[in-house]
Amino acid sequence: MIELLEPPRLTVPSTALKTSYLVGEQADMRHRGSDTSWLTAASLDFDAFVAERTGVRERWGVASELFWFASGEYYVGSLVIRHELTDDEGGGHIGYHVVYPWQRQGHATRMLREALVKCAGLDIERALLTVAPENAASIAVVRRNGGVEDSLNDEGEMRFWIDTASA
Protein backbone atom coordinates (compact mmCIF):
# COMPACT_ATOMS: atom_id res chain seq x y z
CA MET A 1 0.00 0.00 0.00
CA ILE A 2 1.20 3.52 -0.78
CA GLU A 3 1.79 5.56 2.36
CA LEU A 4 0.46 9.09 2.01
CA LEU A 5 2.69 11.74 3.56
CA GLU A 6 -0.29 13.91 4.51
CA PRO A 7 -3.97 13.11 4.98
CA PRO A 8 -6.01 13.70 1.82
CA ARG A 9 -8.31 16.71 1.78
CA LEU A 10 -10.99 18.15 -0.45
CA THR A 11 -9.45 20.46 -3.05
CA VAL A 12 -10.57 22.14 -6.23
CA PRO A 13 -9.77 20.10 -9.37
CA SER A 14 -6.19 20.74 -10.47
CA THR A 15 -4.10 20.08 -13.56
CA ALA A 16 -1.27 19.12 -11.19
CA LEU A 17 -3.08 15.82 -10.58
CA LYS A 18 -3.39 14.86 -14.27
CA THR A 19 -1.55 11.54 -14.22
CA SER A 20 -2.89 10.39 -10.87
CA TYR A 21 -6.46 11.39 -11.81
CA LEU A 22 -6.41 9.64 -15.20
CA VAL A 23 -4.77 6.47 -13.85
CA GLY A 24 -7.05 6.34 -10.81
CA GLU A 25 -10.24 6.86 -12.81
CA GLN A 26 -9.16 4.35 -15.46
CA ALA A 27 -8.40 1.72 -12.82
CA ASP A 28 -11.74 2.41 -11.15
CA MET A 29 -13.75 2.26 -14.38
CA ARG A 30 -12.05 -0.97 -15.49
CA HIS A 31 -12.59 -2.53 -12.07
CA ARG A 32 -16.32 -1.79 -12.40
CA GLY A 33 -16.42 -2.92 -16.03
CA SER A 34 -17.45 0.58 -17.16
CA ASP A 35 -16.64 2.46 -20.34
CA THR A 36 -13.37 4.39 -20.17
CA SER A 37 -13.68 6.22 -23.50
CA TRP A 38 -14.40 9.57 -21.80
CA LEU A 39 -10.86 9.49 -20.44
CA THR A 40 -9.41 9.91 -23.94
CA ALA A 41 -10.86 13.41 -24.34
CA ALA A 42 -9.85 14.26 -20.78
CA SER A 43 -6.27 13.16 -21.39
CA LEU A 44 -5.97 15.11 -24.65
CA ASP A 45 -6.99 18.44 -23.12
CA PHE A 46 -6.76 18.07 -19.37
CA ASP A 47 -6.61 21.82 -18.83
CA ALA A 48 -10.06 22.25 -20.43
CA PHE A 49 -11.35 19.17 -18.58
CA VAL A 50 -10.34 20.70 -15.24
CA ALA A 51 -11.65 24.16 -16.17
CA GLU A 52 -15.10 22.66 -16.85
CA ARG A 53 -15.12 21.17 -13.36
CA THR A 54 -13.90 24.14 -11.35
CA GLY A 55 -16.10 26.53 -9.41
CA VAL A 56 -19.83 26.64 -8.78
CA ARG A 57 -21.62 25.37 -11.91
CA GLU A 58 -25.16 24.43 -12.75
CA ARG A 59 -25.40 20.65 -12.89
CA TRP A 60 -28.62 18.64 -12.65
CA GLY A 61 -30.45 21.97 -12.77
CA VAL A 62 -28.98 23.27 -9.49
CA ALA A 63 -25.83 25.06 -8.38
CA SER A 64 -23.16 22.55 -7.50
CA GLU A 65 -19.47 22.34 -6.81
CA LEU A 66 -16.99 19.56 -7.57
CA PHE A 67 -14.03 18.69 -5.36
CA TRP A 68 -11.23 16.20 -5.63
CA PHE A 69 -9.92 14.35 -2.58
CA ALA A 70 -6.15 14.40 -2.83
CA SER A 71 -2.91 14.10 -0.92
CA GLY A 72 0.06 15.75 -2.58
CA GLU A 73 0.31 14.25 -6.06
CA TYR A 74 -2.23 11.50 -5.34
CA TYR A 75 -5.85 11.74 -6.51
CA VAL A 76 -8.05 9.60 -4.26
CA GLY A 77 -11.60 10.42 -5.36
CA SER A 78 -14.24 13.00 -6.25
CA LEU A 79 -17.10 14.63 -4.43
CA VAL A 80 -19.91 16.93 -5.54
CA ILE A 81 -21.96 19.22 -3.33
CA ARG A 82 -25.31 20.35 -4.68
CA HIS A 83 -26.09 23.70 -3.05
CA GLU A 84 -29.78 22.83 -3.16
CA LEU A 85 -31.79 19.73 -3.88
CA THR A 86 -33.13 18.92 -7.33
CA ASP A 87 -36.91 18.84 -7.67
CA ASP A 88 -36.94 15.04 -7.32
CA GLU A 89 -34.25 15.12 -4.60
CA GLY A 90 -32.37 12.49 -6.64
CA GLY A 91 -28.76 12.20 -5.58
CA GLY A 92 -29.24 14.42 -2.55
CA HIS A 93 -26.81 17.17 -1.58
CA ILE A 94 -23.62 15.12 -1.68
CA GLY A 95 -22.29 12.51 -4.07
CA TYR A 96 -18.84 10.96 -3.77
CA HIS A 97 -16.63 8.14 -4.91
CA VAL A 98 -13.19 6.85 -4.06
CA VAL A 99 -11.30 5.33 -6.98
CA TYR A 100 -10.64 1.61 -6.76
CA PRO A 101 -6.96 1.65 -5.76
CA TRP A 102 -7.79 3.75 -2.66
CA GLN A 103 -10.99 2.06 -1.51
CA ARG A 104 -11.43 0.41 1.90
CA GLN A 105 -8.92 2.69 3.64
CA GLY A 106 -11.31 5.13 5.36
CA HIS A 107 -11.05 7.84 2.71
CA ALA A 108 -14.79 8.03 1.95
CA THR A 109 -15.61 8.55 5.63
CA ARG A 110 -13.14 11.44 5.89
CA MET A 111 -14.24 12.87 2.54
CA LEU A 112 -17.88 12.95 3.59
CA ARG A 113 -16.98 14.48 6.97
CA GLU A 114 -15.20 17.35 5.18
CA ALA A 115 -18.15 17.78 2.80
CA LEU A 116 -20.55 18.14 5.72
CA VAL A 117 -18.46 21.04 7.05
CA LYS A 118 -18.65 22.68 3.61
CA CYS A 119 -22.43 22.12 3.56
CA ALA A 120 -22.76 23.80 6.94
CA GLY A 121 -20.85 26.75 5.49
CA LEU A 122 -23.44 26.92 2.70
CA ASP A 123 -26.27 27.05 5.29
CA ILE A 124 -27.39 23.53 4.44
CA GLU A 125 -28.55 22.46 7.90
CA ARG A 126 -29.46 18.89 6.95
CA ALA A 127 -27.75 17.16 4.05
CA LEU A 128 -29.54 14.47 2.06
CA LEU A 129 -27.55 11.54 0.71
CA THR A 130 -28.91 8.69 -1.38
CA VAL A 131 -27.31 5.26 -1.54
CA ALA A 132 -28.08 2.13 -3.52
CA PRO A 133 -29.30 -0.55 -1.05
CA GLU A 134 -26.64 -3.01 -2.25
CA ASN A 135 -23.80 -0.54 -1.56
CA ALA A 136 -22.98 -1.70 1.97
CA ALA A 137 -19.68 0.22 2.08
CA SER A 138 -21.34 3.55 1.31
CA ILE A 139 -24.19 2.88 3.73
CA ALA A 140 -21.58 2.33 6.45
CA VAL A 141 -19.80 5.59 5.49
CA VAL A 142 -23.04 7.57 5.71
CA ARG A 143 -23.96 6.00 9.05
CA ARG A 144 -20.47 6.67 10.48
CA ASN A 145 -21.06 10.33 9.63
CA GLY A 146 -24.40 10.45 11.47
CA GLY A 147 -26.74 9.52 8.62
CA VAL A 148 -30.30 8.72 9.68
CA GLU A 149 -32.28 6.58 7.25
CA ASP A 150 -35.50 8.13 6.01
CA SER A 151 -37.11 6.19 3.15
CA LEU A 152 -36.49 5.04 -0.42
CA ASN A 153 -36.53 7.55 -3.26
CA ASP A 154 -38.29 7.03 -6.60
CA GLU A 155 -35.21 5.22 -7.94
CA GLY A 156 -35.18 2.73 -5.05
CA GLU A 157 -32.19 4.31 -3.34
CA MET A 158 -32.00 4.68 0.43
CA ARG A 159 -32.31 8.26 1.69
CA PHE A 160 -30.22 9.44 4.64
CA TRP A 161 -30.27 12.83 6.38
CA ILE A 162 -27.24 14.17 8.24
CA ASP A 163 -27.32 17.19 10.55
CA THR A 164 -24.40 19.31 9.33
CA ALA A 165 -24.09 21.17 12.66
CA SER A 166 -22.65 18.00 14.19
CA ALA A 167 -19.90 17.96 11.57
Side-chain angles (χ1 to χ4, degrees):
M1 176 166 44
I2 296 171
E3 187 69 30
L4 299 173
L5 297 179
E6 59 189 56
R9 61 184 177 82
L10 289 178
T11 65
V12 295
S14 167
T15 57
L17 296 174
K18 178 180 180 177
T19 300
S20 183
Y21 177 88
L22 293 171
V23 169
E25 287 292 343
Q26 180 174 315
D28 189 64
M29 300 300 280
R30 286 190 171 164
H31 173 73
R32 291 188 282 151
S34 298
D35 179 34
T36 61
S37 62
W38 65 273
L39 288 166
T40 301
S43 68
L44 293 174
D45 191 353
F46 200 70
D47 290 352
F49 179 81
V50 167
E52 290 173 11
R53 286 153 178 76
T54 304
V56 178
R57 306 278 180 156
E58 185 170 315
R59 297 175 184 93
W60 307 281
V62 297
S64 63
E65 205 166 354
L66 178 70
F67 298 93
W68 288 355
F69 200 57
S71 171
E73 67 186 280
Y74 296 103
Y75 166 79
V76 175
S78 294
L79 181 136
V80 66
I81 296 177
R82 293 173 196 88
H83 293 203
E84 56 189 281
L85 293 172
T86 58
D87 289 339
D88 67 356
E89 296 185 347
H93 286 103
I94 302 170
Y96 59 87
H97 85 278
V98 173
V99 293
Y100 177 66
W102 295 104
Q103 291 175 359
R104 307 239 181 249
Q105 297 174 42
H107 297 303
T109 299
R110 288 189 298 280
M111 186 186 314
L112 179 54
R113 187 176 313 124
E114 284 189 40
L116 293 168
V117 171
K118 289 187 178 294
C119 284
L122 293 168
D123 293 326
I124 299 170
E125 295 175 5
R126 288 179 17 152
L128 174 65
L129 285 91
T130 62
V131 181
E134 64 275 6
N135 190 342
S138 194
I139 291 167
V141 165
V142 173
R143 287 188 172 140
R144 275 194 295 273
N145 277 282
V148 177
E149 190 175 345
D150 179 23
S151 61
L152 295 179
N153 68 11
D154 292 341
E155 295 155 6
E157 296 174 317
M158 299 170 71
R159 294 166 35 106
F160 292 89
W161 291 96
I162 302 177
D163 179 5
T164 62
S166 63

